[in-house]
Amino acid sequence: EVQLVESGGGVVQPGGSLRLSCAASGFPFFNTAMTWVRQAPGKDVEWVANINRDGETIFYADSVKGRFTISRDNAKNTMYLQLNNLKTEDTAVYYCANLPYMTNAGDITLGAILSRGPGTQVTVST
């Protein structure tokens, strides 16, 4: 059974940082492209970033490029998202998910998601 569990969310002030983790099991994580997506209240799910199976190829949404960093540790079956210089508009539930293939397109990513975790809340507020 595929399991994806996010952690690391919280409440931070604008300009702050958080590190999200995604613990994966039940599938060959080392051989699987992964993604982070997010959903703000009242809005559609938004693609954030993708990473290929060995971490050599990475793509970011323009809204987070230069501020967020996706990474993975295949030995630990864990993916990460470092969130820096957070803005109020980054407030959302963040989800990790596995993909059947690597892509640089956000809309394709959203339609290709195989399984998704329950999410972790990130709130950026003064």
Side-chain angles (χ1 to χ4, degrees), residues 101-122:
Y101 47 79
M102 182 62 173
T103 175
N104 65 347
D107 55 347
I108 293 176
T109 296
L110 296 179
I113 286 175
L114 297 172
S115 298
R116 196 176 76 175
T120 187
Q121 175 72 47
V122 171

Side-chain angles (χ1 to χ4, degrees), residues 42-62:
K43 295 189 176 181
D44 292 334
V45 176
E46 177 190 16
W47 169 63
V48 174
N50 288 353
I51 187 167
N52 78 328
R53 58 184 181 177
D54 60 11
E56 298 278 320
T57 303
I58 288 172
F59 299 111
Y60 295 100
D62 287 343

